[in-house]
mmCIF file of all heavy atoms in Angstrom:
data_model
loop_
_atom_site.group_PDB
_atom_site.id
_atom_site.type_symbol
_atom_site.label_atom_id
_atom_site.label_comp_id
_atom_site.label_asym_id
_atom_site.label_seq_id
_atom_site.Cartn_x
_atom_site.Cartn_y
_atom_site.Cartn_z
ATOM 1 N N SER I 1 86.732 -88.945 85.731
ATOM 2 C CA SER I 1 86.485 -87.476 85.472
ATOM 3 C C SER I 1 87.735 -86.674 85.368
ATOM 4 O O SER I 1 88.059 -85.819 86.165
ATOM 5 C CB SER I 1 85.619 -86.901 86.611
ATOM 6 O OG SER I 1 86.243 -87.090 87.802
ATOM 7 N N LEU I 2 88.493 -87.043 84.373
ATOM 8 C CA LEU I 2 89.713 -86.381 84.006
ATOM 9 C C LEU I 2 89.503 -85.302 82.968
ATOM 10 O O LEU I 2 88.811 -85.646 81.943
ATOM 11 C CB LEU I 2 90.834 -87.293 83.593
ATOM 12 C CG LEU I 2 91.255 -88.333 84.621
ATOM 13 C CD1 LEU I 2 92.209 -89.290 83.949
ATOM 14 C CD2 LEU I 2 91.962 -87.694 85.703
ATOM 15 N N THR I 3 89.959 -84.149 83.083
ATOM 16 C CA THR I 3 89.805 -83.123 82.029
ATOM 17 C C THR I 3 91.118 -82.708 81.528
ATOM 18 O O THR I 3 92.173 -82.727 82.127
ATOM 19 C CB THR I 3 89.126 -81.872 82.702
ATOM 20 O OG1 THR I 3 89.893 -81.391 83.780
ATOM 21 C CG2 THR I 3 87.738 -82.218 83.269
ATOM 22 N N PRO I 4 91.100 -82.406 80.153
ATOM 23 C CA PRO I 4 92.384 -81.956 79.477
ATOM 24 C C PRO I 4 93.067 -80.765 80.242
ATOM 25 O O PRO I 4 92.370 -79.891 80.679
ATOM 26 C CB PRO I 4 91.878 -81.583 78.135
ATOM 27 C CG PRO I 4 90.600 -82.262 77.954
ATOM 28 C CD PRO I 4 89.997 -82.349 79.293
ATOM 29 N N GLY I 5 94.353 -80.856 80.457
ATOM 30 C CA GLY I 5 95.065 -79.770 81.070
ATOM 31 C C GLY I 5 95.094 -79.722 82.544
ATOM 32 O O GLY I 5 95.846 -78.919 83.131
ATOM 33 N N ASP I 6 94.356 -80.689 83.224
ATOM 34 C CA ASP I 6 94.305 -80.656 84.685
ATOM 35 C C ASP I 6 95.471 -81.543 85.168
ATOM 36 O O ASP I 6 95.326 -82.682 85.603
ATOM 37 C CB ASP I 6 92.957 -81.279 85.130
ATOM 38 C CG ASP I 6 92.925 -81.334 86.662
ATOM 39 O OD1 ASP I 6 93.651 -80.752 87.301
ATOM 40 O OD2 ASP I 6 91.959 -82.064 87.167
ATOM 41 N N SER I 7 96.717 -80.919 85.115
ATOM 42 C CA SER I 7 97.872 -81.734 85.473
ATOM 43 C C SER I 7 97.867 -82.236 86.908
ATOM 44 O O SER I 7 98.269 -83.392 87.134
ATOM 45 C CB SER I 7 99.161 -80.801 85.261
ATOM 46 O OG SER I 7 99.144 -80.408 83.948
ATOM 47 N N PHE I 8 97.400 -81.464 87.910
ATOM 48 C CA PHE I 8 97.475 -81.963 89.206
ATOM 49 C C PHE I 8 96.442 -83.083 89.389
ATOM 50 O O PHE I 8 96.800 -84.046 90.075
ATOM 51 C CB PHE I 8 97.073 -80.705 90.127
ATOM 52 C CG PHE I 8 97.152 -81.172 91.621
ATOM 53 C CD1 PHE I 8 98.389 -81.440 92.163
ATOM 54 C CD2 PHE I 8 96.022 -81.259 92.359
ATOM 55 C CE1 PHE I 8 98.482 -81.795 93.555
ATOM 56 C CE2 PHE I 8 96.118 -81.685 93.690
ATOM 57 C CZ PHE I 8 97.341 -81.873 94.292
ATOM 58 N N GLY I 9 95.235 -82.953 88.855
ATOM 59 C CA GLY I 9 94.234 -84.035 89.014
ATOM 60 C C GLY I 9 94.726 -85.330 88.315
ATOM 61 O O GLY I 9 94.568 -86.398 88.792
ATOM 62 N N GLN I 10 95.435 -85.099 87.106
ATOM 63 C CA GLN I 10 95.899 -86.252 86.370
ATOM 64 C C GLN I 10 97.054 -86.911 87.222
ATOM 65 O O GLN I 10 97.200 -88.200 87.253
ATOM 66 C CB GLN I 10 96.343 -85.841 85.000
ATOM 67 C CG GLN I 10 95.197 -85.456 84.108
ATOM 68 C CD GLN I 10 95.469 -84.750 82.862
ATOM 69 O OE1 GLN I 10 96.759 -84.711 82.498
ATOM 70 N NE2 GLN I 10 94.544 -84.288 82.139
ATOM 71 N N LEU I 11 97.957 -86.101 87.799
ATOM 72 C CA LEU I 11 98.981 -86.619 88.607
ATOM 73 C C LEU I 11 98.397 -87.452 89.817
ATOM 74 O O LEU I 11 98.923 -88.552 90.171
ATOM 75 C CB LEU I 11 99.918 -85.512 89.115
ATOM 76 C CG LEU I 11 101.090 -86.020 90.085
ATOM 77 C CD1 LEU I 11 101.935 -86.897 89.315
ATOM 78 C CD2 LEU I 11 101.727 -84.767 90.545
ATOM 79 N N LEU I 12 97.487 -86.929 90.426
ATOM 80 C CA LEU I 12 96.868 -87.637 91.624
ATOM 81 C C LEU I 12 96.191 -88.980 91.109
ATOM 82 O O LEU I 12 96.320 -89.987 91.810
ATOM 83 C CB LEU I 12 95.822 -86.740 92.285
ATOM 84 C CG LEU I 12 96.290 -85.568 93.141
ATOM 85 C CD1 LEU I 12 95.061 -84.839 93.620
ATOM 86 C CD2 LEU I 12 97.225 -85.972 94.168
ATOM 87 N N PHE I 13 95.552 -88.927 89.944
ATOM 88 C CA PHE I 13 94.930 -90.096 89.379
ATOM 89 C C PHE I 13 96.020 -91.204 89.084
ATOM 90 O O PHE I 13 95.876 -92.361 89.390
ATOM 91 C CB PHE I 13 94.205 -89.705 88.136
ATOM 92 C CG PHE I 13 93.413 -90.774 87.488
ATOM 93 C CD1 PHE I 13 92.300 -91.347 88.090
ATOM 94 C CD2 PHE I 13 93.841 -91.358 86.300
ATOM 95 C CE1 PHE I 13 91.574 -92.283 87.573
ATOM 96 C CE2 PHE I 13 93.163 -92.446 85.768
ATOM 97 C CZ PHE I 13 91.979 -92.912 86.303
ATOM 98 N N LEU I 14 97.151 -90.727 88.593
ATOM 99 C CA LEU I 14 98.235 -91.632 88.261
ATOM 100 C C LEU I 14 98.839 -92.189 89.429
ATOM 101 O O LEU I 14 99.094 -93.429 89.547
ATOM 102 C CB LEU I 14 99.262 -90.821 87.306
ATOM 103 C CG LEU I 14 100.429 -91.712 86.809
ATOM 104 C CD1 LEU I 14 100.008 -92.828 85.985
ATOM 105 C CD2 LEU I 14 101.410 -90.824 86.076
ATOM 106 N N VAL I 15 99.053 -91.425 90.470
ATOM 107 C CA VAL I 15 99.692 -91.893 91.728
ATOM 108 C C VAL I 15 98.666 -92.925 92.415
ATOM 109 O O VAL I 15 99.073 -93.900 92.826
ATOM 110 C CB VAL I 15 99.956 -90.727 92.715
ATOM 111 C CG1 VAL I 15 100.326 -91.199 94.096
ATOM 112 C CG2 VAL I 15 101.096 -89.928 92.142
ATOM 113 N N GLY I 16 97.386 -92.514 92.446
ATOM 114 C CA GLY I 16 96.429 -93.431 93.014
ATOM 115 C C GLY I 16 96.250 -94.638 92.333
ATOM 116 O O GLY I 16 96.231 -95.807 92.952
ATOM 117 N N GLY I 17 96.002 -94.624 90.991
ATOM 118 C CA GLY I 17 95.818 -95.877 90.231
ATOM 119 C C GLY I 17 97.058 -96.604 89.802
ATOM 120 O O GLY I 17 97.015 -97.742 89.617
ATOM 121 N N GLY I 18 98.159 -95.913 89.756
ATOM 122 C CA GLY I 18 99.494 -96.571 89.353
ATOM 123 C C GLY I 18 100.288 -96.949 90.393
ATOM 124 O O GLY I 18 101.160 -97.849 90.234
ATOM 125 N N LEU I 19 100.053 -96.481 91.643
ATOM 126 C CA LEU I 19 100.942 -96.902 92.776
ATOM 127 C C LEU I 19 100.185 -97.299 93.964
ATOM 128 O O LEU I 19 100.398 -98.413 94.482
ATOM 129 C CB LEU I 19 101.891 -95.663 93.162
ATOM 130 C CG LEU I 19 102.861 -95.922 94.209
ATOM 131 C CD1 LEU I 19 103.824 -97.071 93.865
ATOM 132 C CD2 LEU I 19 103.557 -94.691 94.637
ATOM 133 N N LEU I 20 99.243 -96.510 94.458
ATOM 134 C CA LEU I 20 98.578 -96.860 95.583
ATOM 135 C C LEU I 20 97.571 -98.039 95.444
ATOM 136 O O LEU I 20 97.620 -98.942 96.333
ATOM 137 C CB LEU I 20 97.752 -95.608 96.140
ATOM 138 C CG LEU I 20 98.595 -94.409 96.552
ATOM 139 C CD1 LEU I 20 97.763 -93.301 97.048
ATOM 140 C CD2 LEU I 20 99.653 -94.742 97.578
ATOM 141 N N ALA I 21 96.855 -98.104 94.354
ATOM 142 C CA ALA I 21 95.972 -99.183 94.133
ATOM 143 C C ALA I 21 96.782 -100.499 94.039
ATOM 144 O O ALA I 21 96.304 -101.499 94.734
ATOM 145 C CB ALA I 21 95.134 -99.002 92.962
ATOM 146 N N PRO I 22 97.821 -100.516 93.258
ATOM 147 C CA PRO I 22 98.610 -101.823 93.192
ATOM 148 C C PRO I 22 99.162 -102.294 94.638
ATOM 149 O O PRO I 22 99.090 -103.427 94.877
ATOM 150 C CB PRO I 22 99.739 -101.555 92.245
ATOM 151 C CG PRO I 22 99.207 -100.559 91.385
ATOM 152 C CD PRO I 22 98.289 -99.690 92.283
ATOM 153 N N ILE I 23 99.596 -101.252 95.439
ATOM 154 C CA ILE I 23 100.044 -101.711 96.755
ATOM 155 C C ILE I 23 98.866 -102.262 97.560
ATOM 156 O O ILE I 23 99.006 -103.341 98.252
ATOM 157 C CB ILE I 23 100.596 -100.460 97.481
ATOM 158 C CG1 ILE I 23 102.031 -100.103 96.797
ATOM 159 C CG2 ILE I 23 100.917 -100.793 99.017
ATOM 160 C CD1 ILE I 23 102.541 -98.747 97.288
ATOM 161 N N GLY I 24 97.785 -101.591 97.616
ATOM 162 C CA GLY I 24 96.627 -102.095 98.348
ATOM 163 C C GLY I 24 96.134 -103.359 97.796
ATOM 164 O O GLY I 24 95.732 -104.379 98.547
ATOM 165 N N GLU I 25 95.939 -103.515 96.427
ATOM 166 C CA GLU I 25 95.354 -104.749 95.957
ATOM 167 C C GLU I 25 96.268 -105.953 96.040
ATOM 168 O O GLU I 25 95.891 -107.091 96.337
ATOM 169 C CB GLU I 25 94.995 -104.496 94.469
ATOM 170 C CG GLU I 25 93.880 -103.664 94.152
ATOM 171 C CD GLU I 25 93.580 -103.352 92.719
ATOM 172 O OE1 GLU I 25 94.283 -103.759 91.887
ATOM 173 O OE2 GLU I 25 92.551 -102.681 92.485
ATOM 174 N N GLU I 26 97.559 -105.719 95.878
ATOM 175 C CA GLU I 26 98.563 -106.864 96.104
ATOM 176 C C GLU I 26 98.533 -107.271 97.580
ATOM 177 O O GLU I 26 98.572 -108.563 97.851
ATOM 178 C CB GLU I 26 99.909 -106.547 95.656
ATOM 179 C CG GLU I 26 100.105 -106.358 94.111
ATOM 180 C CD GLU I 26 99.557 -107.594 93.367
ATOM 181 O OE1 GLU I 26 99.972 -108.690 93.695
ATOM 182 O OE2 GLU I 26 98.694 -107.364 92.527
ATOM 183 N N THR I 27 98.421 -106.309 98.478
ATOM 184 C CA THR I 27 98.454 -106.657 99.862
ATOM 185 C C THR I 27 97.144 -107.456 100.194
ATOM 186 O O THR I 27 97.219 -108.492 100.858
ATOM 187 C CB THR I 27 98.508 -105.403 100.798
ATOM 188 O OG1 THR I 27 99.754 -104.690 100.436
ATOM 189 C CG2 THR I 27 98.408 -105.741 102.227
ATOM 190 N N LEU I 28 96.036 -107.069 99.623
ATOM 191 C CA LEU I 28 94.733 -107.739 99.990
ATOM 192 C C LEU I 28 94.684 -109.096 99.224
ATOM 193 O O LEU I 28 94.441 -110.071 99.805
ATOM 194 C CB LEU I 28 93.640 -106.797 99.520
ATOM 195 C CG LEU I 28 92.165 -107.470 99.640
ATOM 196 C CD1 LEU I 28 91.887 -107.833 101.082
ATOM 197 C CD2 LEU I 28 91.140 -106.561 99.024
ATOM 198 N N PHE I 29 94.727 -109.079 97.874
ATOM 199 C CA PHE I 29 94.527 -110.265 97.062
ATOM 200 C C PHE I 29 95.717 -111.285 97.140
ATOM 201 O O PHE I 29 95.365 -112.555 97.163
ATOM 202 C CB PHE I 29 94.202 -109.895 95.673
ATOM 203 C CG PHE I 29 92.797 -109.210 95.507
ATOM 204 C CD1 PHE I 29 92.681 -107.897 95.365
ATOM 205 C CD2 PHE I 29 91.681 -110.054 95.525
ATOM 206 C CE1 PHE I 29 91.513 -107.338 95.272
ATOM 207 C CE2 PHE I 29 90.471 -109.466 95.449
ATOM 208 C CZ PHE I 29 90.354 -108.038 95.306
ATOM 209 N N ARG I 30 96.919 -110.913 97.118
ATOM 210 C CA ARG I 30 97.944 -111.904 97.165
ATOM 211 C C ARG I 30 98.420 -112.168 98.604
ATOM 212 O O ARG I 30 98.561 -113.207 99.094
ATOM 213 C CB ARG I 30 99.176 -111.487 96.306
ATOM 214 C CG ARG I 30 99.183 -112.166 94.948
ATOM 215 C CD ARG I 30 97.870 -112.069 94.106
ATOM 216 N NE ARG I 30 97.748 -110.712 93.547
ATOM 217 C CZ ARG I 30 96.673 -110.302 92.884
ATOM 218 N NH1 ARG I 30 95.570 -111.079 92.711
ATOM 219 N NH2 ARG I 30 96.631 -109.099 92.335
ATOM 220 N N GLY I 31 98.635 -110.967 99.366
ATOM 221 C CA GLY I 31 99.089 -111.104 100.720
ATOM 222 C C GLY I 31 98.096 -111.796 101.672
ATOM 223 O O GLY I 31 98.389 -112.579 102.464
ATOM 224 N N TYR I 32 96.808 -111.384 101.516
ATOM 225 C CA TYR I 32 95.812 -111.913 102.424
ATOM 226 C C TYR I 32 94.935 -113.034 101.814
ATOM 227 O O TYR I 32 94.998 -114.245 102.280
ATOM 228 C CB TYR I 32 94.901 -110.835 102.920
ATOM 229 C CG TYR I 32 93.806 -111.341 103.869
ATOM 230 C CD1 TYR I 32 94.116 -111.805 105.117
ATOM 231 C CD2 TYR I 32 92.580 -111.508 103.430
ATOM 232 C CE1 TYR I 32 93.268 -112.378 106.007
ATOM 233 C CE2 TYR I 32 91.591 -112.034 104.225
ATOM 234 C CZ TYR I 32 91.933 -112.474 105.554
ATOM 235 O OH TYR I 32 91.038 -113.054 106.343
ATOM 236 N N VAL I 33 94.259 -112.726 100.631
ATOM 237 C CA VAL I 33 93.215 -113.685 100.108
ATOM 238 C C VAL I 33 93.992 -114.994 99.586
ATOM 239 O O VAL I 33 93.497 -116.093 99.995
ATOM 240 C CB VAL I 33 92.405 -113.071 98.982
ATOM 241 C CG1 VAL I 33 91.546 -114.125 98.307
ATOM 242 C CG2 VAL I 33 91.563 -111.891 99.530
ATOM 243 N N PHE I 34 94.933 -114.828 98.845
ATOM 244 C CA PHE I 34 95.640 -116.007 98.318
ATOM 245 C C PHE I 34 96.174 -116.869 99.407
ATOM 246 O O PHE I 34 96.019 -118.091 99.478
ATOM 247 C CB PHE I 34 96.724 -115.596 97.211
ATOM 248 C CG PHE I 34 97.646 -116.827 96.822
ATOM 249 C CD1 PHE I 34 97.160 -117.773 95.966
ATOM 250 C CD2 PHE I 34 98.850 -116.986 97.386
ATOM 251 C CE1 PHE I 34 97.955 -118.879 95.552
ATOM 252 C CE2 PHE I 34 99.639 -118.070 97.063
ATOM 253 C CZ PHE I 34 99.210 -118.982 96.104
ATOM 254 N N ASN I 35 96.842 -116.151 100.345
ATOM 255 C CA ASN I 35 97.503 -116.999 101.447
ATOM 256 C C ASN I 35 96.452 -117.585 102.321
ATOM 257 O O ASN I 35 96.634 -118.684 102.940
ATOM 258 C CB ASN I 35 98.477 -116.095 102.177
ATOM 259 C CG ASN I 35 99.842 -115.999 101.540
ATOM 260 O OD1 ASN I 35 100.317 -116.952 101.021
ATOM 261 N ND2 ASN I 35 100.318 -114.741 101.329
ATOM 262 N N ALA I 36 95.359 -116.866 102.524
ATOM 263 C CA ALA I 36 94.185 -117.473 103.387
ATOM 264 C C ALA I 36 93.726 -118.728 102.762
ATOM 265 O O ALA I 36 93.493 -119.760 103.374
ATOM 266 C CB ALA I 36 93.123 -116.416 103.576
ATOM 267 N N PHE I 37 93.494 -118.667 101.416
ATOM 268 C CA PHE I 37 93.004 -119.877 100.733
ATOM 269 C C PHE I 37 94.069 -120.895 100.690
ATOM 270 O O PHE I 37 93.710 -122.130 100.883
ATOM 271 C CB PHE I 37 92.657 -119.417 99.192
ATOM 272 C CG PHE I 37 91.367 -118.789 98.972
ATOM 273 C CD1 PHE I 37 91.205 -117.739 98.096
ATOM 274 C CD2 PHE I 37 90.221 -119.176 99.718
ATOM 275 C CE1 PHE I 37 89.954 -117.140 97.883
ATOM 276 C CE2 PHE I 37 88.954 -118.513 99.496
ATOM 277 C CZ PHE I 37 88.888 -117.532 98.662
ATOM 278 N N ARG I 38 95.272 -120.521 100.558
ATOM 279 C CA ARG I 38 96.364 -121.523 100.488
ATOM 280 C C ARG I 38 96.443 -122.287 101.774
ATOM 281 O O ARG I 38 96.531 -123.542 101.870
ATOM 282 C CB ARG I 38 97.724 -120.816 100.232
ATOM 283 C CG ARG I 38 98.902 -121.722 100.037
ATOM 284 C CD ARG I 38 100.150 -120.985 99.635
ATOM 285 N NE ARG I 38 100.485 -119.903 100.588
ATOM 286 C CZ ARG I 38 101.150 -120.090 101.783
ATOM 287 N NH1 ARG I 38 101.571 -121.407 102.042
ATOM 288 N NH2 ARG I 38 101.442 -119.168 102.561
ATOM 289 N N LEU I 39 96.343 -121.558 102.960
ATOM 290 C CA LEU I 39 96.460 -122.099 104.195
ATOM 291 C C LEU I 39 95.137 -122.921 104.553
ATOM 292 O O LEU I 39 95.149 -124.085 105.093
ATOM 293 C CB LEU I 39 96.637 -121.082 105.358
ATOM 294 C CG LEU I 39 98.094 -120.457 105.196
ATOM 295 C CD1 LEU I 39 98.216 -119.304 106.193
ATOM 296 C CD2 LEU I 39 99.257 -121.410 105.429
ATOM 297 N N THR I 40 94.011 -122.502 104.150
ATOM 298 C CA THR I 40 92.714 -123.147 104.397
ATOM 299 C C THR I 40 92.699 -124.490 103.601
ATOM 300 O O THR I 40 92.226 -125.478 104.166
ATOM 301 C CB THR I 40 91.609 -122.233 104.002
ATOM 302 O OG1 THR I 40 91.664 -121.035 104.780
ATOM 303 C CG2 THR I 40 90.229 -122.973 104.135
ATOM 304 N N PHE I 41 93.187 -124.418 102.341
ATOM 305 C CA PHE I 41 93.038 -125.629 101.590
ATOM 306 C C PHE I 41 94.343 -126.545 101.648
ATOM 307 O O PHE I 41 94.506 -127.386 100.896
ATOM 308 C CB PHE I 41 92.752 -125.257 100.154
ATOM 309 C CG PHE I 41 91.523 -124.499 99.883
ATOM 310 C CD1 PHE I 41 91.494 -123.421 99.029
ATOM 311 C CD2 PHE I 41 90.422 -124.840 100.644
ATOM 312 C CE1 PHE I 41 90.397 -122.649 98.866
ATOM 313 C CE2 PHE I 41 89.204 -124.061 100.461
ATOM 314 C CZ PHE I 41 89.275 -122.987 99.479
ATOM 315 N N ALA I 42 95.300 -126.147 102.474
ATOM 316 C CA ALA I 42 96.639 -126.871 102.524
ATOM 317 C C ALA I 42 96.539 -128.328 102.693
ATOM 318 O O ALA I 42 97.355 -129.071 102.124
ATOM 319 C CB ALA I 42 97.413 -126.269 103.729
ATOM 320 N N SER I 43 95.494 -128.912 103.383
ATOM 321 C CA SER I 43 95.365 -130.262 103.643
ATOM 322 C C SER I 43 94.762 -131.018 102.396
ATOM 323 O O SER I 43 94.743 -132.174 102.337
ATOM 324 C CB SER I 43 94.554 -130.545 104.936
ATOM 325 O OG SER I 43 93.359 -130.077 104.794
ATOM 326 N N LYS I 44 94.223 -130.218 101.512
ATOM 327 C CA LYS I 44 93.509 -130.818 100.289
ATOM 328 C C LYS I 44 94.539 -131.173 99.251
ATOM 329 O O LYS I 44 95.565 -130.500 99.042
ATOM 330 C CB LYS I 44 92.470 -129.927 99.794
ATOM 331 C CG LYS I 44 91.569 -129.369 100.870
ATOM 332 C CD LYS I 44 90.501 -130.415 101.134
ATOM 333 C CE LYS I 44 89.479 -129.852 102.084
ATOM 334 N NZ LYS I 44 89.125 -130.659 103.157
ATOM 335 N N ARG I 45 94.255 -132.153 98.449
ATOM 336 C CA ARG I 45 95.078 -132.507 97.329
ATOM 337 C C ARG I 45 95.318 -131.386 96.319
ATOM 338 O O ARG I 45 96.399 -131.172 95.800
ATOM 339 C CB ARG I 45 94.541 -133.849 96.712
ATOM 340 C CG ARG I 45 95.450 -134.269 95.489
ATOM 341 C CD ARG I 45 94.925 -135.513 95.000
ATOM 342 N NE ARG I 45 95.801 -135.979 93.915
ATOM 343 C CZ ARG I 45 95.427 -136.536 92.825
ATOM 344 N NH1 ARG I 45 94.138 -136.923 92.736
ATOM 345 N NH2 ARG I 45 96.158 -136.902 91.862
ATOM 346 N N TRP I 46 94.284 -130.678 96.099
ATOM 347 C CA TRP I 46 94.280 -129.625 95.032
ATOM 348 C C TRP I 46 94.281 -128.226 95.764
ATOM 349 O O TRP I 46 93.834 -127.328 95.212
ATOM 350 C CB TRP I 46 93.054 -129.753 94.160
ATOM 351 C CG TRP I 46 93.150 -130.919 93.265
ATOM 352 C CD1 TRP I 46 92.520 -132.128 93.411
ATOM 353 C CD2 TRP I 46 93.954 -131.051 92.082
ATOM 354 N NE1 TRP I 46 92.850 -132.958 92.419
ATOM 355 C CE2 TRP I 46 93.743 -132.310 91.601
ATOM 356 C CE3 TRP I 46 94.762 -130.183 91.458
ATOM 357 C CZ2 TRP I 46 94.368 -132.840 90.490
ATOM 358 C CZ3 TRP I 46 95.410 -130.641 90.259
ATOM 359 C CH2 TRP I 46 95.199 -131.945 89.820
ATOM 360 N N GLY I 47 94.886 -128.141 96.989
ATOM 361 C CA GLY I 47 94.774 -127.057 97.765
ATOM 362 C C GLY I 47 95.464 -125.813 97.191
ATOM 363 O O GLY I 47 94.801 -124.724 97.115
#
């Protein structure tokens, strides 16, 4: 729900989607999920 000329809303959207989301997603998916799978499957040949 972005509207033309809403600079503040667009800036918040850019900060949220362009900075905060990547920090959160990388922390969750690579920092936690990938490493949890890696450690869980470490003893497997295809871990």
Side-chain angles (χ1 to χ4, degrees):
S1 59
L2 296 172
T3 55
D6 178 15
S7 299
F8 184 67
Q10 293 170 5
L11 177 63
L12 288 177
F13 185 72
L14 185 58
V15 169
L19 182 62
L20 298 178
I23 291 170
E25 289 180 355
E26 290 307 306
T27 301
L28 175 63
F29 288 101
R30 262 55 74 186
Y32 179 74
V33 173
F34 172 75
N35 281 316
F37 282 140
R38 185 176 58 83
L39 294 173
T40 299
F41 303 138
S43 64
K44 309 285 186 224
R45 182 173 177 214
W46 292 98

